[in-house]
Structures are given as structure tokens and as C-alpha cells.
Amino acid sequence: MGYSKPLLQNVSVSFASPCLVGIIGNNGKGKTTLLKNLSGLQKPLSGQILFNDKNIFDLSAAERSKIDSLCFASNYITFPISVYELVSMGRYPYNNHWAGLSKDDEKIIDGAIDLCGIKNLQHNFVTSLSDGERQKTFIAKTLAQQTPVILFDEPSAFLDYASKKHFFQTMKEIATEQQKIILISSHDIDFLTAYADNLLMIEEDESVLYGSTNQIMQTEYFNTHFTKK
């Protein structure tokens, strides 16, 4: 996996629902590239990414949008759109664009907005929001897409402590109660180790270790790079 030069090689990992997976590694080691590969945004240089035994790159973009959703850390937007309108874009893979939103769509959108604690902002323009409020809006859009696989790239980067805790707790509950696979790349190691079922750790030589959170926490590499001295 990578660009013209592979970043991660010989990676073979299986995820089964329900599962909350934390992705950890130092900067530049391929975490974002891995998420792009898994989402179908970027094709790996070799190998396959399978969902229910189907190669996701054999599927159309529309079909993939019903399988996985991806939320990036940097979600800048310059055109005037309300919080509600942006979150509603998560329903695009399912609705008839000419007919508009169904009652079920509206219920899902309202639920995602409530879950992210931004109901009081739903009529505000996204361009008027703080970094943290905007991040919550994009998280709500991702949840409104209601895919069986959800991918997050540094989703808590702009959130305060209470909001970070709420995010990780909520993702744990969603993974368990809704039988989803949720992968979170994050530098918030304390929250990942508290809530993630498994960790995928990219080491300095770009080798990958995958196992239960407790197993990964006992490795020498984890204790050298991800624990407070």
C-alpha cells in the first residue's frame, strides 16, 4: 500500500464486526494511506481489499459508498451550507436526489446531529463554526451515511477533552450495538487503549502488528513509543 513507493507491505489483516479498531503509528508511516486504500479512494499498488469476499475495487463508487464511509481530520469548506444540509449529504447514496429526503432520512440525520451534540447549530453555516464544531458536523455526516464500515482519520484532533471522551465512548457503543466495524487512526492513545477492542500498530520500519489492545500494549515497540515516560 502506498503511492509510487510502497509504504506498507505484506499486510494481511481481517476485521469482523462488531469491532472498534485503533490505528496507531508515528507520522508519515502510512496511516492515512491505509484508510484511503480501505475506503476505495486510493487503489493499493498490489494486493486486494475484500468486503464479504468481494474486491471493493471491482465495485462502483456508488456501491462502495454503501459499504464504508471516511471522515478526515481536515474538513475545510468555503461555500455557504448549513450544518443540517451538510449532514444530510451522508444520505446521498440512498435517496432519490429529485424526490429529496424521506422521513427515514430525516430521522437518521436528526439522530446523527443529536448524537454529536450539534442540534443547536443545525441551521448555522458550516463556515461560521469553530474547528471543533465543524469536526463534529463532519462526524455526524459520516454517521448519517450508516455504512457497516466506518473509517476515521484523526477525528478528535480539534475536539476538547469532554468531546473526545464522548466521541470514543459513542463509537464503542455504535460498534457494539449496531454490529459495525469502526477504524480510528488517532494520536489520542489513552482513549484508544481505553475503548478500542483491537489495535493496528505501524512500527518504525513500517511493519504492521495487529491484535487485541492488551496484546499490543504489552509489546516493546508500544511501550517505547506510545507510553508516557
Side-chain angles (χ1 to χ4, degrees):
M1 296 180 180
Y3 294 86
S4 59
K5 178 183 177 182
L7 288 175
L8 304 176
Q9 301 184 64
N10 302 318
V11 179
S12 179
V13 180
S14 294
F15 306 110
S17 63
C19 192
L20 179 63
V21 179
I23 302 176
I24 60 175
N26 290 328
N27 291 333
K29 294 302 174 184
K31 299 187 299 298
T32 298
T33 300
L34 176 62
L35 290 175
K36 287 181 178 179
N37 291 156
L38 293 173
S39 70
L41 286 181
Q42 179 179 314
K43 193 171 184 178
L45 297 178
S46 63
Q48 293 183 317
I49 297 172
L50 306 177
F51 179 81
N52 287 344
D53 297 324
K54 293 182 180 179
N55 187 334
I56 65 169
F57 290 97
D58 290 338
L59 305 175
S60 67
E63 289 173 318
R64 287 199 301 268
S65 69
K66 295 179 181 180
I67 293 173
D68 59 55
S69 48
L70 172 59
C71 181
F72 286 108
S74 299
N75 290 301
Y76 295 105
I77 196 166
T78 57
F79 56 91
I81 183 173
S82 72
V83 166
Y84 188 92
E85 290 170 328
L86 181 61
V87 176
S88 72
M89 291 172 66
R91 301 305 302 157
Y92 279 13
Y94 308 96
N95 61 28
N96 182 326
H97 302 309
W98 298 107
L101 298 170
S102 68
K103 292 295 183 182
D104 285 341
D105 289 326
E106 292 175 354
K107 183 177 180 180
I108 291 167
I109 293 164
D110 289 340
I113 286 174
D114 286 340
L115 201 58
C116 292
I118 52 174
K119 188 174 181 61
N120 62 316
L121 302 172
Q122 63 180 329
H123 301 302
N124 293 19
F125 284 130
V126 177
T127 49
S128 71
L129 304 180
S130 68
D131 289 341
E133 291 168 341
R134 185 171 61 248
Q135 188 67 5
K136 290 178 182 179
T137 301
F138 277 93
I139 291 171
K141 172 182 173 291
T142 303
L143 296 179
Q145 197 169 333
Q146 288 207 325
T147 53
V149 180
I150 307 177
L151 312 171
F152 289 102
D153 186 19
E154 295 293 345
S156 56
F158 299 109
L159 303 183
D160 58 33
Y161 183 87
S163 296
K164 288 182 180 184
K165 184 176 182 180
H166 177 263
F167 169 78
F168 284 97
Q169 285 179 330
T170 301
M171 292 309 107
K172 175 68 172 179
E173 291 170 1
I174 290 175
T176 302
E177 296 171 6
Q178 300 181 25
Q179 299 290 296
K180 293 183 183 289
I181 298 171
I182 301 180
L183 278 68
I184 304 174
S185 170
S186 177
H187 290 294
D188 284 315
I189 304 298
D190 289 347
F191 285 114
L192 282 181
T193 54
Y195 294 104
D197 301 297
N198 297 332
L199 292 177
L200 187 152
M201 182 171 66
I202 304 173
E203 297 184 328
E204 205 63 27
D205 62 359
E206 292 157 6
S207 59
V208 172
L209 286 182
Y210 181 67
S212 71
T213 297
N214 286 336
Q215 287 175 327
I216 299 300
M217 288 177 68
Q218 292 172 15
T219 64
E220 181 179 351
Y221 187 87
F222 182 92
N223 283 288
T224 300
H225 291 82
F226 301 111
T227 56
K228 298 175 182 178
K229 302 299 182 182

